[in-house]
Amino acid sequence: MYIRCTAVQKELPRIQNYIGGRFVSPIGGKYLDNIEPATGQPYSLVPESDARDVEAAVEAAETVFPEWSRTPAAERSRILLRIADLIERDLEKFARAESTDTGKPLALARSLDIPRASSNFRFFATAILHTENEAHVTDGIAFNYTLRQPRGIAGLISPWNLPLYLLSWKIAPAIAVGNTAIAKPSELTPMTAFLLCEVCREAGLPEGVLNIVHGTGPEVGAAITGHPKIGTISFTGGTVTGRKVAEAGAPLFKKISLELGGKNPNIIFADADFDAAIAGSVRSSFANQGQVCLCGSRVFVERASYEEFVRRFIERVAQLKQGDPLDPETEQGAIVSKMQLEKVKYYVELAKEEGGRIALGGERGPSPNDRCRDGYFFPPTVITGLPVACRVNREEIFGPVVTITPFESEEEVVRYANDVDYGLSSSVWTQNLSRAHRIAEQIHAGTVWINCWLVRDLRVPFGGMKQSGVGREGGEEALRFFTEPKNVCIAR
Ligand code: NAD
């Protein structure tokens, strides 16, 4: 649901597109309201760009590509390191902007989102200085080596839940290896991408290497995925949108990476370190109001410990401090949009119809303060008693809602864990090492965390199976995705 700007709101600060190193208004002159989720009120305007703005970005990116792709890696690295430093210098400004734009707690933006954005630039800035090319000797006949070259213009499309964290996770590897890029942040959370452009300019990133075009998915996103000159698409978002991106890119033979939705299992065995499992499960259920694609929204607990787990888990969740996201003490902020809030409420009602018991939460409480009286708040909600195969246990809610289900055996819980269309991540809590390895082998997910959650080493492959995506990002995988391998074969 987009909210077009009204005459009264015309005086709100305007975010601008960043094309060819300049801040520009959308060619069509149209803007959308950018709503602060904590208040439900518009606080800035975001360009409602269209295909013409994307075309201008393509021209800028195409013009500078020959120069940027030939720029020595050491120089590209230096500029990216400078970007990382400047994000760190402006951490407070970025964190406040991210919190205001998304409704996430300021403390989370300060400790996770913005430091990670800086790390993304730093990581790929140095990664390109340490890569190796393969060589293959063909017995007495030839010698082969692999050239990995930038592919041209990369289209980078990201969602609203971790705006700068995820956009920089795409921008950094794409431009580090010598591509130019056109990025489209979510229209719901455009602010930190806008601030990033200032930082890129200050860092000396040449004009046109990074272009940011703001607007909706059907207009700007579709113009990017359908543009014949944008041969590489890295997309993170929902599975339904991912399908559209694949449909648009496939006939043009684009190289596409899709990081999509999840319905991740969080499995607790009776032999787990219970304190750690409960603390970890509270985080994996409700971090960022449950709006992390990696959240463990389906908790499975071995029968022998089920009652104790539910009791202690609920006690801990009830202590989470919901409040104004800008209050540094707040642990649970607002849901990103009215539409997302309605979706969460819908699934809680559905859970009741499907036989679930609302063990905690389920209804909006009082507003944290007067400023937030119209904000999109929903309390952490815990549901028990649902059948494993019901819709609430199979469909992605992407909000502060978890279900808890008992299981009897390893074999049974693996079946439960895998019985969804998604396969993004999973957590297993057990002290039994052999069991941990056995389960890790059997679970259909791109990531299996054992006795932890959201430990993210930037070198490891990241992505999903089944409807959670196609391809992997992170470390070497990202460097490979954003380059074209060319075999050079020399006869002896
Ligand atoms: P979304 O799919 O609605 O939007 C994602 C982006 O795609 C936005 O920028 C949007 O404007 C754009 N878009 C929409 N329609 C498009 C189209 N037709 N063509 C091109 N682009 C289009 O997702 P969302 O609601 O912003 O984010 C939530 C979803 O993202 C959840 O499903 C979540 O699991 C997923 N997610 C996945 C990961 C991951 O790494 N796998 C990470 C974060 C979020």
Side-chain angles (χ1 to χ4, degrees):
M1 186 176 63
Y2 314 119
I3 302 178
R4 301 228 139 67
C5 88
T6 56
V8 183
Q9 288 144 4
K10 284 244 167 70
E11 296 316 312
L12 293 173
R14 285 171 188 232
I15 288 170
Q16 287 185 296
N17 289 333
Y18 185 66
I19 297 176
R22 293 190 309 125
F23 287 99
V24 290
S25 303
I27 291 168
K30 291 198 279 180
Y31 287 82
L32 301 164
D33 282 345
N34 187 23
I35 310 281
E36 179 176 4
T39 63
Q41 303 303 319
Y43 81 103
S44 60
L45 299 176
V46 56
E48 189 182 3
S49 311
D50 59 34
R52 290 170 294 174
D53 303 286
V54 173
E55 196 56 51
V58 168
E59 272 172 38
E62 195 178 26
T63 304
V64 74
F65 176 72
E67 179 197 328
W68 180 245
S69 57
R70 284 197 299 266
T71 300
E75 173 63 7
R76 281 185 263 126
S77 172
R78 197 187 60 74
I79 295 171
L80 265 70
L81 285 172
R82 181 95 181 107
I83 295 172
D85 288 345
L86 294 175
I87 294 174
E88 226 164 60
R89 180 197 70 189
D90 295 346
L91 186 138
E92 197 53 32
K93 179 163 101 177
F94 274 103
R96 287 190 83 80
E98 203 71 297
S99 171
T100 305
D101 226 15
T102 59
K104 72 175 66 209
L106 178 59
L108 186 68
R110 270 184 189 147
S111 61
L112 178 76
D113 294 72
I114 308 306
R116 169 62 191 273
S118 174
S119 306
N120 286 337
F121 280 101
R122 191 159 287 131
F123 177 85
F124 287 107
T126 50
I128 54 168
L129 304 179
H130 301 278
T131 52
E132 289 167 4
N133 291 16
E134 306 94 302
H136 301 89
V137 179
T138 316
D139 306 317
I141 299 172
F143 171 80
N144 301 268
Y145 66 92
T146 310
L147 270 183
R148 292 192 183 274
Q149 296 173 305
R151 289 176 44 82
I153 307 174
L156 314 173
I157 301 177
S158 59
W160 46 258
N161 63 324
L162 298 163
L164 194 63
Y165 176 126
L166 288 174
L167 197 61
S168 56
W169 173 239
K170 298 182 184 302
I171 293 172
I175 66 174
V177 298
N179 297 292
T180 54
I182 300 174
K184 190 201 97 58
S186 168
E187 58 277 27
L188 298 179
T189 55
M191 190 55 93
T192 48
F194 179 49
L195 298 179
L196 177 69
C197 300
E198 286 174 9
V199 155
C200 289
R201 208 148 72 152
E202 190 180 341
L205 187 70
E207 294 172 0
V209 172
L210 172 64
N211 305 277
I212 297 203
V213 183
H214 295 275
T216 67
E219 280 288 337
V220 176
I224 291 173
T225 55
H227 200 293
K229 289 187 174 171
I230 306 177
T232 311
I233 302 286
S234 175
F235 172 85
T236 301
T239 295
V240 172
T241 318
R243 193 168 286 126
K244 289 185 192 154
V245 170
E247 280 167 7
L252 297 168
F253 304 105
K254 297 191 179 207
K255 191 173 186 184
I256 304 180
S257 163
L258 298 172
E259 302 288 348
L260 309 176
K263 188 74 182 174
N264 310 306
N266 176 26
I267 301 170
I268 292 112
F269 283 93
D271 68 5
D273 171 341
F274 243 55
D275 290 341
I278 287 170
S281 300
V282 171
R283 273 186 71 229
S284 71
S285 301
F286 299 113
N288 203 33
Q289 296 75 247
Q291 302 167 127
V292 179
C293 54
L294 304 164
C295 273
S297 51
R298 294 181 296 146
V299 184
F300 296 105
V301 187
E302 194 168 0
R303 175 80 68 186
S305 301
Y306 178 76
E307 299 296 336
E308 185 192 349
F309 180 89
V310 172
R311 181 178 52 76
R312 290 180 56 189
F313 180 76
I314 286 176
E315 265 169 32
R316 286 289 293 273
V317 175
Q319 287 165 13
L320 289 173
K321 185 173 181 301
Q322 188 174 45
D324 187 333
L326 293 177
D327 175 347
E329 302 292 310
T330 292
E331 293 169 303
Q332 289 287 294
I335 305 289
V336 72
S337 66
K338 191 160 191 325
M339 199 168 97
Q340 193 63 21
L341 177 64
E342 293 306 322
K343 184 178 174 194
V344 169
K345 287 186 191 163
Y346 167 81
Y347 275 102
V348 171
E349 289 312 307
L350 181 62
K352 293 178 195 163
E353 286 168 29
E354 291 187 317
R357 186 177 85 81
I358 309 299
L360 186 74
E363 271 176 35
R364 190 191 158 145
S367 299
N369 59 24
D370 198 42
R371 186 183 100 83
C372 296
R373 68 180 178 276
D374 296 326
Y376 310 136
F377 291 88
F378 199 83
T381 295
V382 180
I383 303 171
T384 56
L386 278 172
V388 177
C390 70
R391 282 184 58 203
V392 171
N393 266 329
R394 301 179 74 97
E395 297 174 15
E396 187 185 47
I397 302 174
F398 216 55
V401 180
V402 283
T403 63
I404 314 185
T405 308
F407 68 88
E408 307 287 346
S409 68
E410 248 180 76
E411 183 266 329
E412 183 185 29
V413 78
V414 168
R415 193 156 29 86
Y416 289 171
N418 290 339
D419 191 23
V420 285
D421 293 332
Y422 296 105
L424 189 56
S425 72
S426 54
S427 287
V428 182
W429 299 85
T430 176
Q431 305 265 33
N432 180 332
L433 192 57
S434 310
R435 169 187 278 156
H437 289 304
R438 270 198 308 276
I439 304 262
E441 263 180 25
Q442 295 175 76
I443 283 196
H444 302 161
T447 297
V448 182
W449 279 295
I450 309 289
N451 296 327
C452 60
W453 179 72
L454 204 63
V455 176
R456 292 281 300 114
D457 185 320
L458 299 188
R459 292 168 299 181
V460 305
F462 177 85
M465 296 169 66
K466 302 195 281 189
Q467 294 193 15
S468 288
V470 180
R472 292 291 181 274
E473 298 190 341
E476 194 64 32
E477 303 278 346
L479 298 177
R480 288 186 171 218
F481 175 73
F482 284 112
T483 51
E484 189 73 39
K486 183 189 287 175
N487 181 56
V488 181
C489 178
I490 308 159
R492 273 189 61 166

